[in-house]
Amino acid sequence: MRVNEKYSTLPAEDRSVHIINICAIEDIGYLPSEGTLLNSLSVDPDAECKHGLYFRDGRRKVDYVLVYHPKRPSGGRTLARRVQHGDVTPAARGARQDQPLPGKGSVGAAGGPEPPMDYHEDDKRFRREEYEGNLLEAGLELERDEDTKIHGVGFIKIHAPWNVLCREAEFLKLKMPTKKLYHINEPRGLLKKISSVLQKITDPIQPKVAEHRPQTTKRLSYPFSREKQHLFDLSDKDSFFDSKTRSTIVYEILKRTTCTKAKYSMGITSLLANGVYSAAYPLHDGDYEGENVDFNDRKLLYQEWASYGVFYKYQPIDLVRKYFGEKIGLYFAWLGVYTQMLIPASVVGIIVFLYGCATVDENIPSMEMCDHRQNITMCPLCDKTCSYWKMSSACATARASHLFDNPATVFFSVFMALWAATFMEHWKRKQMRLRYHWDLTGFEEEEEAVKDHPRAEYEARVLEKSLRKESKKKEKRRCIPEESTNKWRQRVKTAMAGVKLTDKVKLTWRDRFPAYFTNLVSIVFMIAVTFAIVLGVIIYRISMAAALAMNSSPSVRSNIRVTVTATAVIINLVVIILLDEVYGCIARWLTKIEVPKTEKSFEDRLIFKAFLLKFVNSYTPIFYVAFFKGRFVGRPGDYVYIFRSFRMEECAPGGCLMELCIQLSIIMLGKQLIQNNLFEIGIPKMKKFIRYLRLRRQSPPDHDPYVKRRQRYEEDYTLEPFAGLTPEYMEMIIQFGFVTLFVASFPLAPLFALLNNIIEIRLDAKKFITELRRPVAVRAKDIGIWYNILRGVGKLAVIINAFVISFTSDFIPRLVYLYMYSENGTMHGFVNHTLSSFNVSDFQNGTAPNDPLDLGYEVQICRYKDYREPPWSEHKYDISKDFWAVLAARLAFVIVFQNLVMFMSDFVDWVIPDIPKDISQQVHKEKVLMVELFMREEQGKQQLLDTWMEKDRKKDEPCNNHGPKACLDSPEYPGGAL
């Protein structure tokens, strides 16, 4: 007799579906449910399971799915192995461990000879059997489906019954809405009129979602308790726990349920890592497009959130939270607030840019540089191949520099520093509102409990360490009598049976020292690689400028600076994009070898490493142009060389700010266009196409998975797994750095960031709805470590902008000239004041121009940008006193600007309260209402108790008044005497 025949309760023709009734376990605190795992065969298969969203009976919803690759072992071998491992499982599970799960395509259902299977696949199968048996004991209901439209893939559908949901909701302290309704404080008087007017104005840009409408009432929430079920509205038990909450509860059970047939305890994360299961995920609510598709939250989100046609509307954040959970909801809420705050920054940036355009013809320094009558001859830009050149040839660069180097940019830097502080305060207030509306006000204690849950890799490493210690003790006890050896074996068996050792044995810094050392060396090496690449680009710029200077075409020689700058920036952009992907993978690998204890610790360490590497990678070329280019050039006749042949680069006559603007704009726009948009669109679609080709190749010709309509769990299996929010946050934080760190050189950065984010929101939304499997909902009260990173970038932006204005732009030299050296109180003569003179006879041997008559006349004195003594001075070519005056003014400006802006930012932080007043009042009101509710409940109990006591007292009165005989004759004592 085959195994499946032994337990079959159906006729032979219907043995593909097995029916068993699994009773609940009384000792874990819930009651047995009727009809558990009972399948209905009288309904059409496509209708009864509602395209995979329900079990085959059409009543029980699929809350989670486990995916595996089934193999077909021999029947006799299967039974033998089951008997062999029967002693591992408790007696309560042993009775049902040998029974296959109900559903289609259970193992062994097919007739005929079956191919042999290797040991590893056999071991995976029995791990699955034990794990699924433990899930049944935990109260979950399972159904297997191996006869799927995806060849070689099996599915375990999981349903959590009502009693399990109640039990777990109580364990997790999930806040659920009670029957108690109360009115939210509404604005009165003038504020009410203003809010109503704003509501009418903004109505066209509001999403057509019920959750987004302004609410006047709110249900009082309280952590769910089975003892206080009467407080909650349980009229519709099917919708009391939504799909997000149900999948979260099932995932918590999957995490803590273990399989001990391996050498150590394995939860779902370890089983996935070891290939026992190939995937585990909750289901989407249904299809998102099509005429005959039932309306669901996924389709509503696709229409009102993930469509590019609604880019002008607000996001339905409450519906996003309802579908994906608080953590993902907070990300999109933060992204929406950040995008809204970019609107005023973009408007001010455009005004600053237009001010530069309007005043370019009134700028005296650029007019002097463009004046051909000045006839200022400049020193060569490179040795030998470069000749003397006229300053008027740099007229276009000087005029363009004024667009970004004018007094308005100083104001814009101050504005953006205050903008960053206001944005952080605005987000804190928005976060508090969301925390109140999402019932997360008392979440801190519960979150700490989640943080302390050890990761599977950490537990495996701890068990490995403990077993290694035991083996060392065994070596020392070889001469000890047999009794001690038996005790040692017993301890090892206990450990192998899944005893949690993380409380007794911990990983110390000695265990992690190799990983820490590897992290340090790797990070230093990768930063050095970034610097080496920047140095390589510098050498490319220098050599390319020298090569183009030798070109015979006048047009090529006149556009040397533009050509070299543009090509070098493109090279930098390509390198940055490539290294970003490499550094992301390396940061994850470095974090894994550290073996952090908790998921929270793992995420924080990964974010820190990835942000450090990507920050250095993205901003190093910009830092070079801003603070190092043109600073260590030397002077004619005494230039600074690298590798003894390459002369350091000089800034253009108008300063390096224009080049910094070009560098920043190309890198920022390139990263947004290529990395943030094309990669996010192209890579998921490419992976989806590859999976489609793989499924077509694996499926037989008559088993095409794309011919028949697949079930919901089959559709979701072909989607891309959710990889976390770290990449999404990272690209926005890097963009925030571009917007704030060097905003003095590029006032249009907020505008380009705004345009990108309008697309980014819908792009991310579409990816979450259509391209990714539904992630497990995770509760969170804030955005975590990202808030601290944002604050750090905002503080750093103040310092960097102070140095950019002071040392990169000509703002300070102009002020010094205007108030110290100008003869008539204007900027006339400023250009000549910033140029020093050099006698061409003082050139070093072999560095003078090969063609000194290129301009048509002999040059005796050439000019270069620096503050040095002239050649006819007693201390020729020494640094002049003007240099020290300008340097002192620059340092003074940095100190004043930094402290003033920091003070103003802290003042904004102090003036704006973190918690809105109305929210604090509502939280206090909720606490008062909760106390009143429980006081009323206690009063009701007391009244009921008093009523019972009064009845008992009245019953006892006849006995007290008429003696024992009357009591014996009373109706309470039938039959008379005892």
Side-chain angles (χ1 to χ4, degrees):
M1 179 184 290
R2 295 175 58 86
V3 178
N4 285 2
E5 294 173 357
K6 179 179 178 181
Y7 297 104
S8 176
T9 58
L10 296 176
E13 63 269 18
D14 291 328
R15 285 177 187 169
S16 61
V17 180
H18 302 273
I19 301 177
I20 58 175
N21 184 24
I22 299 176
C23 298
I25 308 300
E26 297 178 356
D27 57 355
I28 56 177
Y30 60 90
L31 300 174
S33 59
E34 298 181 0
T36 306
L37 291 177
L38 193 62
N39 293 314
S40 173
L41 301 177
S42 60
V43 192
D44 180 68
D46 288 334
E48 66 184 1
C49 59
K50 298 180 183 178
H51 305 297
L53 290 172
Y54 289 80
F55 275 19
R56 291 181 60 80
D57 58 11
R59 293 182 290 105
R60 291 167 295 171
K61 189 173 184 180
V62 177
D63 299 318
Y64 218 88
V65 173
L66 302 179
V67 186
Y68 64 97
H69 297 287
K71 301 293 181 181
R72 307 288 185 181
S74 61
R77 183 181 179 187
T78 303
L79 183 60
R81 286 292 299 271
R82 284 175 178 167
V83 174
Q84 178 182 351
H85 289 277
D87 58 342
V88 181
T89 59
R93 187 173 74 239
R96 75 183 75 133
Q97 178 70 21
D98 297 341
Q99 302 182 21
L101 294 174
K104 298 187 295 181
S106 295
V107 177
E114 295 170 342
M117 186 174 64
D118 60 62
Y119 170 78
H120 296 291
E121 294 297 334
D122 203 18
D123 189 58
K124 289 180 182 179
R125 170 177 172 76
F126 290 108
R127 290 191 201 179
R128 288 197 296 268
E129 287 182 354
E130 186 200 2
Y131 184 71
E132 290 158 12
N134 291 338
L135 293 180
L136 292 172
E137 285 191 4
L140 298 178
E141 299 173 1
L142 313 180
E143 186 178 72
R144 188 192 307 275
D145 186 3
E146 290 184 1
D147 186 20
T148 64
K149 300 177 181 64
I150 301 179
H151 182 67
V153 177
F155 297 89
I156 299 292
K157 295 171 282 184
I158 302 176
H159 169 76
W162 171 255
N163 44 28
V164 174
L165 293 173
C166 294
R167 183 191 71 205
E168 297 298 323
E170 184 175 357
F171 290 166
L172 297 174
K173 299 180 181 178
L174 295 179
K175 276 192 171 184
M176 304 301 295
T178 64
K179 298 177 182 177
K180 175 67 175 177
L181 279 170
Y182 69 95
H183 288 276
I184 300 175
N185 294 336
E186 298 182 8
R188 298 177 181 178
L190 181 61
L191 291 177
K192 184 176 182 179
K193 293 181 180 179
I194 294 175
S195 62
S196 62
V197 171
L198 290 177
Q199 184 176 347
K200 292 179 180 178
I201 294 175
T202 60
D203 187 65
I205 61 176
Q206 300 290 346
K208 297 178 181 178
V209 176
E211 287 81 358
H212 198 78
R213 294 170 186 167
Q215 304 291 333
T216 58
T217 59
K218 186 177 184 293
R219 287 191 179 272
L220 195 64
S221 296
Y222 184 74
F224 187 81
S225 172
R226 287 174 290 181
E227 295 180 355
K228 294 181 171 56
Q229 290 191 28
H230 58 278
L231 297 177
F232 304 93
D233 185 10
L234 302 181
S235 57
D236 186 6
K237 292 185 177 181
D238 292 337
S239 61
F240 182 74
F241 295 105
D242 57 16
S243 60
K244 173 208 53 161
T245 306
R246 297 174 69 97
S247 63
T248 302
I249 289 174
V250 174
Y251 182 65
E252 290 296 325
I253 298 176
L254 292 177
K255 281 200 302 184
R256 72 166 182 261
T257 304
T258 57
C259 165
T260 57
K261 281 187 178 178
K263 293 185 178 180
Y264 57 91
S265 175
M266 300 179 70
I268 186 60
T269 53
S270 297
L271 293 172
L272 288 170
N274 287 272
V276 179
Y277 292 101
S278 59
Y281 51 88
L283 295 182
H284 282 290
D285 280 356
D287 291 329
Y288 58 89
E289 57 183 355
E291 296 180 358
N292 298 325
V293 175
D294 294 336
F295 201 76
N296 53 70
D297 287 342
R298 188 187 186 194
K299 184 175 182 180
L300 183 59
L301 283 171
Y302 181 77
Q303 293 176 352
E304 296 295 327
W305 182 52
S307 174
Y308 293 111
V310 295
F311 72 93
Y312 59 91
K313 289 188 177 183
Y314 286 98
Q315 299 181 84
I317 293 298
D318 291 327
L319 185 59
V320 174
R321 173 252 180 180
K322 176 185 174 185
Y323 193 80
F324 290 110
E326 286 78 9
K327 193 169 185 178
I328 294 177
L330 281 172
Y331 163 71
F332 282 102
W334 173 83
L335 184 56
V337 170
Y338 172 48
T339 304
Q340 289 176 9
M341 289 295 292
L342 283 172
I343 296 175
S346 303
V347 172
V348 177
I350 293 173
I351 293 174
V352 170
F353 178 74
L354 293 178
Y355 170 82
C357 295
T359 59
V360 66
D361 292 331
E362 302 173 3
N363 183 38
I364 296 176
S366 61
M367 291 171 59
E368 289 184 346
M369 290 184 65
C370 296
D371 191 358
H372 294 276
R373 297 172 296 176
Q374 296 273 353
N375 197 25
I376 299 177
T377 303
M378 303 296 294
C379 295
L381 297 175
C382 62
D383 294 341
K384 294 191 295 185
T385 56
C386 298
S387 185
Y388 305 105
W389 55 285
K390 295 276 191 177
M391 173 168 274
S392 57
S393 63
C395 175
T397 305
R399 290 174 63 86
S401 296
H402 179 72
L403 302 178
F404 306 99
D405 187 6
N406 54 69
T409 57
V410 180
F411 158 76
F412 191 56
S413 299
V414 177
F415 171 82
M416 288 303 295
L418 299 179
W419 172 88
T422 307
F423 162 61
M424 301 303 295
E425 292 304 310
H426 179 44
W427 166 243
K428 281 197 289 188
R429 291 169 63 85
K430 177 68 173 179
Q431 191 171 251
M432 287 303 302
R433 288 187 181 277
L434 293 176
R435 196 182 300 181
Y436 162 70
H437 287 297
W438 294 350
D439 297 320
L440 295 171
T441 49
F443 179 62
E444 287 76 9
E445 297 81 6
E446 302 145 24
E447 189 183 39
E448 290 299 324
V450 176
K451 289 180 184 177
D452 293 335
H453 183 75
R455 297 174 65 245
E457 292 82 356
Y458 180 85
E459 290 183 331
R461 183 76 176 272
V462 167
L463 184 59
E464 180 185 348
K465 178 181 178 180
S466 63
L467 293 178
R468 191 165 54 246
K469 286 184 178 180
E470 292 290 349
S471 64
K472 290 181 180 179
K473 292 179 181 178
K474 181 181 177 182
E475 295 292 333
K476 296 179 180 178
R477 297 176 181 176
R478 284 185 175 180
C479 300
I480 297 180
E482 183 65 21
E483 292 79 10
S484 301
T485 307
N486 289 337
K487 291 180 181 179
W488 175 84
R489 287 179 179 175
Q490 187 62 37
R491 285 198 298 270
V492 174
K493 287 181 179 180
T494 304
M496 293 173 64
V499 175
K500 197 169 184 179
L501 299 172
T502 51
D503 295 333
K504 299 179 180 179
V505 182
K506 296 181 179 180
L507 297 183
T508 62
W509 69 271
R510 294 178 183 272
D511 301 318
R512 289 194 172 103
F513 179 76
Y516 288 154
F517 182 76
T518 304
N519 271 258
L520 179 62
V521 173
S522 301
I523 290 175
V524 171
F525 173 75
M526 286 182 285
I527 292 176
V529 168
T530 303
F531 289 161
I533 291 174
V534 173
L535 179 62
V537 175
I538 294 171
I539 295 174
Y540 161 81
R541 295 161 66 110
I542 296 171
S543 57
M544 181 61 68
L548 292 177
M550 299 171 62
N551 196 290
S552 59
S553 173
S555 60
V556 172
R557 290 201 304 269
S558 61
N559 296 316
I560 289 176
R561 194 176 295 276
V562 175
T563 305
V564 171
T565 300
T567 55
V569 172
I570 293 174
I571 293 173
N572 275 326
L573 174 62
V574 173
V575 170
I576 287 172
I577 292 175
L578 294 178
L579 286 184
D580 263 357
E581 303 301 321
V582 174
Y583 286 170
C585 298
I586 293 177
R588 180 169 291 275
W589 174 75
L590 291 175
T591 309
K592 283 183 179 179
I593 65 175
E594 285 186 21
V595 196
K597 183 176 180 180
T598 63
E599 289 293 340
K600 179 67 175 176
S601 175
F602 179 88
E603 186 178 6
D604 289 348
R605 295 186 186 194
L606 172 62
I607 289 171
F608 174 76
K609 293 183 184 67
F611 176 74
L612 176 63
L613 294 175
K614 293 189 177 185
F615 183 91
V616 173
N617 181 43
S618 299
Y619 298 122
T620 299
I622 301 174
F623 270 96
Y624 163 72
V625 175
F627 302 121
F628 296 98
K629 184 178 179 181
R631 300 288 181 269
F632 310 101
V633 177
R635 61 171 180 81
D638 189 21
Y639 283 114
V640 177
Y641 294 88
I642 55 175
F643 304 124
R644 297 184 178 181
S645 56
F646 296 104
R647 205 173 92 186
M648 292 295 292
E649 288 186 287
E650 298 182 47
C651 288
C656 280
L657 198 68
M658 184 60 195
E659 188 171 342
L660 176 61
C661 174
I662 296 173
Q663 185 104 2
L664 182 64
S665 59
I666 292 180
I667 292 178
M668 179 181 177
L669 296 177
K671 278 179 64 68
Q672 290 182 351
L673 179 63
I674 299 174
Q675 194 173 30
N676 298 358
N677 293 330
L678 293 183
F679 280 12
E680 289 194 18
I681 296 173
I683 291 180
K685 289 190 178 297
M686 183 178 66
K687 288 182 178 180
K688 189 175 182 180
F689 180 70
I690 292 174
R691 284 194 299 271
Y692 164 75
L693 294 179
R694 187 183 296 117
L695 291 174
R696 287 290 299 269
R697 187 171 61 252
Q698 292 176 353
S699 301
D702 58 343
H703 198 285
D704 190 349
Y706 282 84
V707 172
K708 306 175 185 178
R709 177 169 183 179
R710 292 179 296 176
Q711 303 296 330
R712 179 76 265 148
Y713 48 88
E714 297 171 324
E715 292 279 357
D716 288 359
Y717 177 68
T718 60
L719 299 177
E720 186 73 13
F722 176 64
L725 289 171
T726 300
E728 313 296 337
Y729 273 113
M730 189 67 69
E731 66 184 57
M732 289 296 105
I733 299 295
I734 295 297
Q735 184 203 84
F736 182 77
F738 283 123
V739 169
T740 56
L741 291 178
F742 299 93
V743 74
S745 63
F746 191 38
L748 296 179
L751 174 63
F752 290 115
L754 173 64
L755 297 176
N756 173 80
N757 288 4
I758 292 174
I759 301 174
E760 180 73 20
I761 291 175
R762 308 303 164 181
L763 186 64
D764 284 346
K766 192 164 186 138
K767 181 173 67 174
F768 273 81
I769 293 294
T770 65
E771 302 290 342
L772 298 179
R773 293 175 190 163
R774 187 175 183 178
V776 179
V778 179
R779 288 184 295 171
K781 60 181 174 60
D782 51 35
I783 60 175
I785 192 175
W786 296 110
Y787 181 80
N788 297 328
I789 293 177
L790 282 169
R791 286 187 65 89
V793 172
K795 298 293 184 184
L796 184 62
V798 177
I799 301 173
I800 290 179
N801 279 302
F803 278 95
V804 167
I805 296 171
S806 181
F807 287 89
T808 308
S809 75
D810 284 338
F811 178 73
I812 299 301
R814 289 173 184 172
L815 286 182
V816 172
Y817 176 79
L818 185 64
Y819 292 105
M820 292 183 61
Y821 299 103
S822 177
E823 297 179 356
N824 52 9
T826 64
M827 293 301 297
H828 287 288
F830 170 73
V831 173
N832 187 61
H833 176 75
T834 59
L835 298 177
S836 299
S837 300
F838 177 74
N839 193 331
V840 298
S841 61
D842 294 330
F843 272 123
Q844 292 180 350
N845 293 332
T847 61
N850 293 333
D851 186 10
L853 300 177
D854 184 59
L855 295 178
Y857 57 88
E858 185 178 358
V859 177
Q860 299 292 333
I861 298 293
C862 66
R863 310 295 296 274
Y864 62 98
K865 191 171 183 179
D866 205 348
Y867 292 100
R868 292 183 179 271
E869 297 290 342
W872 51 84
S873 174
E874 182 179 355
H875 305 284
K876 66 178 183 178
Y877 306 134
D878 286 347
I879 294 175
S880 64
K881 63 179 182 180
D882 299 341
F883 171 83
W884 300 111
V886 172
L887 179 62
R890 282 174 166 168
L891 294 176
F893 175 83
V894 168
I895 295 172
V896 172
F897 181 90
Q898 176 183 335
N899 286 278
L900 178 62
V901 175
M902 288 284 191
F903 170 77
M904 296 171 68
S905 300
D906 293 340
F907 180 75
V908 170
D909 192 356
W910 175 74
V911 167
I912 302 176
D914 295 345
I915 304 177
K917 186 177 180 181
D918 59 327
I919 296 299
S920 60
Q921 291 175 350
Q922 293 296 123
V923 172
H924 178 70
K925 183 178 180 179
E926 275 197 357
K927 293 179 180 179
V928 173
L929 290 174
M930 187 62 67
V931 172
E932 291 179 356
L933 180 65
F934 281 106
M935 288 296 294
R936 196 176 300 114
E937 183 184 4
E938 291 298 324
Q939 290 174 0
K941 289 181 180 178
Q942 187 64 37
Q943 290 176 359
L944 184 61
L945 183 61
D946 292 342
T947 304
W948 288 346
M949 292 179 67
E950 182 67 22
K951 289 182 180 179
D952 292 341
R953 188 179 62 79
K954 289 180 179 180
K955 291 177 183 178
D956 293 341
E957 279 182 358
C959 299
N960 296 333
N961 295 335
H962 305 286
K965 189 175 185 305
C967 186
L968 291 175
D969 295 335
S970 65
E972 278 76 6
Y973 294 93
L978 296 176

